[in-house]
Amino acid sequence: MGEVGNQEMDNLSSVIAQTDSVELGNVVSSDVPAKKLARQLDFTGIGGAVLPEHPHFQSRSRCQESESPAVIVVQSQSQPQSPQQVVVLPIGTKAPLPPARKPDSPKSRSRSNVETKDATPKKQKQCKLCNCKHSRCLKLYCECFASGVYCDGCNCTNCHNNVEHEASRREAVETTLERNPNAFRPKIANSPHGTRESRDEIGELVMLGKHNKGCHCKKSGCLKKYCECFQANILCSENCKCMDCKNFEGSEERQALFHGDHANNMAYIQQAANAAITGAIGTSGYACLPVSKKRKGPELGFGPVGKDSPLNSIPQLHQANDITCSGTPTSSPFPVAHVGSPVASGPSKFSFRSLLADLIQPHDLKELCSVLVVLTSEVAKIQAEQKSDEKQINDPPQISRASSSGDGVHHQKAEEKAADGECGSSNQSDRSVHDNSNSDSSDMTRAGQMSPGTLALMCDEQDTMFMGAGLADGSAAHDCNTSSHVPDKSLSDVYTEQERIVLTKFRDCLNKLITLGEIKETKLTSRSESEVGNQNQSNNFTSNSGCQQRSISNGVVKNVALLAPRIPPIGTAAHHPNNDLPLKILPVPKNRKTKSQIDREV
DNA sequence: GAGTTTGAAACT
DNA sequence: CAGTTTCAAACTC
């Protein structure tokens, strides 16, 4: 205990300082004193330096499930209402929880899973045990050593990665760092804890990140776990120097491998659904858009990713935080996969929010409904007055017969009612609607009997769909204010007035919503464009390899929202049904070749 | 479980 | 930096 290094405390401060200006809040579910807790933070993956780990905390079994991790409540200044919990594990804990401190080594992640032959993880092991024989567990061959943890209960032989050989271990650490200062850094930049299990949870949603060094596979096609990229559940990137790579978006082999995953292409299903919903207004209703899986272009929405990436520099704390679409530290409007553990944040969710989500308020609906009700009742009142006048002239009505009739053709009933002059109740409007809607006459046939208001609305739409053959030869088609074939003129007038007012009001309401949606879309689009502009400026495409540039030219890595064409609102002259695809889903070349493939061909 | 394959790490 | 060796995990039988 007495050997608490100032360096550790300094690193703790530095980590906290980097984590979105967080404040170290209260410690819950742990009786560990603050100083001791600070000691338990493992900074192995931070700053590229492996810090000495005190034996006091190493001597315990790290696989005891009863050992509950400490949890720090980290309260962000930017989001004081949403404190995040950061699970802090004792140094050397062998990943009992996904957000734990282990570096993002693909090996350490995937190999910690119990998997079946089809590479489907069934259950995550609490500990993973190495089997080193010749490395004394003091080289990066050893998974435990590479992860910065002591071997504990492993099947290794002649292990020096333990308390008893702390001196040699430190020496090995120094040697390793000397050779590669980033040796203990996460290999996967900007990657969530993409275990195979998590992929099962989220289907084939994008696993953001790429291998910092890239893989060098030759025979596995990068579709086996020999490949670190595949292990990490990420696509090969421009960093890779693999041959015959099949681990790219659109790869048939890769798709075949993942065939059968549930929630397959959930993102695109959601995308299509959203497109249908927002078709009338626009395209920016995506709070979180699915993005292309092949990330060989600039990291839209994340900024530069790499060893110097801020996200990468503090992997544990950041990844433990539940970064959601609505609360990303960067407040990016772009698609954001959860950069957190599956446990902490659950599967990635592309939550859709309609453009009208903030526009339609309950009182709006209330207002609309009340308007409709009031108008209907008023028209019904007028109708009743007219009917009462007519009653005095015509024969007494046979109300009981008409009203009690539960069968028969609706339009016959309507005609009978109209002929009988039965009406005068406030329910008349409902009956009218009901009769109209359930008439066995076709719409086109009935169009000849439409009220002037309805016809006016139809004329206003200027849509031939409604004004088609059925009206082409009819008088109504050429005279929107003409109502023909009406058995009872006065009743028809009431219906007409009723329809006209209600439909007109409803149309106005819809137009209002469309307008509001457009306004919001415009705002979102302009904001997205400006932020992407900033991103591109900061990225500056400086590190683009040829592969990356090719990806950009292929248009694979793009923000869907920015590509989506502006859709004119329904009802405008520019609107066309064929334009109702708000999202332009870019086709991914199926036979897209990797850099290595091209190199080989060359 | 033994043997083979594979690719990262280490070494030259 | 490239080639080779070592190593341990992944994979196959």
Side-chain angles (χ1 to χ4, degrees):
Chain A
M1 257 316 267
E3 300 177 12
V4 175
N6 291 331
Q7 192 178 3
E8 292 180 55
M9 296 303 293
D10 291 342
N11 276 278
L12 172 63
S13 305
S14 117
V15 167
I16 294 173
Q18 291 178 73
T19 312
D20 192 25
S21 302
V22 296
E23 296 173 352
L24 190 61
N26 55 317
V27 177
V28 296
S29 65
S30 172
D31 54 357
V32 184
K35 197 170 182 180
K36 188 175 179 180
L37 176 66
R39 283 198 39 74
Q40 291 181 338
L41 284 170
D42 187 355
F43 303 101
T44 299
I46 301 172
V50 172
L51 298 166
E53 301 166 353
H54 199 280
H56 176 81
F57 298 100
Q58 309 302 316
S59 57
R60 296 180 298 171
S61 170
R62 284 175 284 287
C63 300
Q64 295 171 356
E65 295 187 18
S66 59
E67 201 174 321
S68 59
V71 177
I72 297 178
V73 175
V74 179
Q75 191 171 31
S76 169
Q77 290 177 347
S78 60
Q79 291 183 287
Q81 305 301 326
S82 305
Q84 306 289 340
Q85 288 188 350
V86 179
V87 178
V88 180
L89 301 166
I91 296 174
T93 299
K94 288 199 170 184
L97 289 172
R101 46 144 307 284
K102 275 212 167 186
D104 244 343
S105 164
K107 289 182 181 180
S108 64
R109 283 200 308 273
S110 61
R111 290 172 186 171
S112 64
N113 297 328
V114 176
E115 298 183 7
T116 59
K117 275 194 171 182
D118 59 356
T120 302
K122 296 304 178 188
K123 187 177 180 181
Q124 192 167 21
K125 281 164 50 173
Q126 292 297 311
C127 304
K128 56 183 172 52
L129 311 174
C130 71
N131 301 287
C132 306
K133 292 173 183 174
H134 308 294
S135 66
R136 295 182 301 165
C137 297
L138 290 182
K139 294 193 175 181
L140 291 175
Y141 297 128
C142 177
E143 194 176 332
C144 302
F145 181 80
S147 300
V149 301
Y150 285 126
C151 288
D152 182 39
C154 298
N155 300 320
C156 46
T157 58
N158 193 21
C159 179
H160 281 49
N161 184 28
N162 49 37
V163 182
E164 290 75 20
H165 299 85
E166 179 63 24
S168 57
R169 181 181 179 273
R170 289 199 183 203
E171 189 176 347
V173 167
E174 290 172 5
T175 304
T176 304
L177 283 174
E178 196 173 317
R179 189 183 300 123
N180 177 16
N182 298 323
F184 297 95
R185 283 197 170 195
K187 290 181 180 177
I188 309 302
N190 193 22
S191 170
H193 286 262
T195 63
R196 310 287 288 175
E197 191 168 51
S198 70
R199 186 182 60 195
D200 280 357
E201 292 174 0
I202 66 175
E204 274 208 76
L205 290 186
V206 182
M207 298 303 293
L208 300 175
K210 60 182 176 184
H211 201 291
N212 282 331
K213 290 178 61 179
C215 68
H216 302 82
C217 306
K218 295 175 182 175
K219 299 180 180 178
S220 67
C222 299
L223 287 183
K224 293 190 175 181
K225 294 184 73 178
Y226 299 124
C227 175
E228 293 198 342
C229 297
F230 182 82
Q231 273 192 5
N233 190 28
I234 60 175
L235 297 165
C236 288
S237 68
E238 72 275 8
N239 296 337
C240 299
K241 297 182 177 69
C242 43
M243 298 172 65
D244 194 25
C245 178
K246 297 180 177 66
N247 186 26
F248 60 91
E249 185 182 19
S251 164
E252 292 178 359
E253 291 86 350
R254 184 176 181 275
Q255 288 175 350
L257 200 64
F258 294 149
H259 183 69
D261 275 5
H262 73 278
N264 205 13
N265 291 327
M266 279 291 293
Y268 290 105
I269 294 173
Q270 179 73 66
Q271 198 173 13
N274 292 346
I277 294 170
T278 56
I281 295 171
T283 62
S284 302
Y286 298 89
C288 300
L289 289 165
V291 297
S292 169
K293 281 183 268 188
K294 192 70 173 181
R295 293 168 51 80
K296 293 201 173 185
E299 318 290 337
L300 290 179
F302 280 106
V305 173
K307 63 182 180 180
D308 298 328
S309 167
L311 278 177
N312 199 27
S313 63
I314 44 175
Q316 271 70 48
L317 286 175
H318 262 300
Q319 290 172 356
N321 288 338
D322 183 16
I323 302 172
T324 63
C325 295
S326 57
T328 58
T330 55
S331 299
S332 170
F334 302 112
V336 177
H338 282 269
V339 186
S341 74
V343 170
S345 60
S348 295
K349 296 181 178 65
F350 294 96
S351 56
F352 166 75
R353 292 196 79 221
S354 169
L355 278 175
L356 304 176
D358 298 330
L359 299 178
I360 302 178
Q361 302 296 331
H363 66 79
D364 292 329
L365 278 177
K366 220 172 186 178
E367 182 185 4
L368 174 62
C369 292
S370 63
V371 165
L372 295 177
V373 169
V374 168
L375 290 174
T376 303
S377 62
E378 283 184 359
V379 173
K381 193 183 298 180
I382 297 172
Q383 180 184 357
E385 292 174 356
Q386 290 179 345
K387 291 302 126 184
S388 63
D389 293 340
E390 291 174 4
K391 282 178 188 175
Q392 296 175 355
I393 302 173
N394 298 332
D395 294 336
Q398 300 175 357
I399 299 174
S400 60
R401 181 175 60 90
S403 59
S404 62
S405 175
D407 55 3
V409 182
H410 291 293
H411 81 278
Q412 289 175 344
K413 285 167 60 180
E415 287 181 359
E416 285 176 8
K417 291 173 192 173
D420 290 344
E422 181 258 341
C423 267
S425 70
S426 61
N427 292 330
Q428 178 56 40
S429 60
D430 294 336
R431 289 199 193 106
S432 170
V433 172
H434 179 264
D435 289 343
N436 282 339
S437 62
N438 290 284
S439 171
D440 57 352
S441 302
S442 68
D443 288 343
M444 291 301 109
T445 305
R446 197 160 46 87
Q449 301 176 353
M450 284 180 179
S451 67
T454 304
L455 294 172
L457 288 171
M458 293 171 66
C459 291
D460 185 60
E461 280 294 321
Q462 295 178 348
D463 193 335
T464 55
M465 183 176 71
F466 297 110
M467 304 296 289
L471 293 176
D473 55 331
S475 58
H478 302 95
D479 183 5
C480 293
N481 294 321
T482 303
S483 177
S484 62
H485 198 61
V486 177
D488 187 321
K489 188 173 184 306
S490 61
L491 182 59
S492 175
D493 288 343
V494 173
Y495 289 164
T496 297
E497 184 66 10
Q498 212 170 7
E499 276 185 279
R500 190 188 67 78
I501 296 174
V502 170
L503 292 177
T504 301
K505 191 69 184 175
F506 195 64
R507 181 194 61 176
D508 294 342
C509 181
L510 292 178
N511 283 333
K512 178 184 173 185
L513 293 179
I514 289 172
T515 303
L516 292 174
E518 282 185 274
I519 294 172
K520 188 172 182 182
E521 180 204 7
T522 304
K523 285 182 181 177
L524 291 174
T525 303
S526 59
R527 191 198 311 170
S528 299
E529 287 172 347
S530 64
E531 295 203 17
V532 163
N534 293 337
Q535 294 280 347
N536 289 341
Q537 278 188 339
S538 61
N539 289 346
N540 206 23
F541 302 107
T542 50
S543 62
N544 288 344
S545 65
C547 197
Q548 191 173 14
Q549 290 167 350
R550 184 172 69 251
S551 297
I552 296 170
S553 64
N554 284 346
V556 176
V557 181
K558 289 184 179 179
N559 187 294
V560 183
L562 298 181
L563 294 173
R566 291 293 308 274
I567 304 299
I570 288 178
T572 63
H575 175 73
H576 189 275
N578 291 340
N579 289 335
D580 278 344
L581 292 173
L583 291 178
K584 189 176 183 179
I585 300 175
L586 297 172
V588 177
K590 279 190 173 181
N591 296 324
R592 190 161 170 271
K593 295 176 179 175
T594 61
K595 182 183 176 184
S596 58
Q597 287 176 305
I598 295 173
D599 289 343
R600 277 201 306 168
E601 289 181 5
V602 171

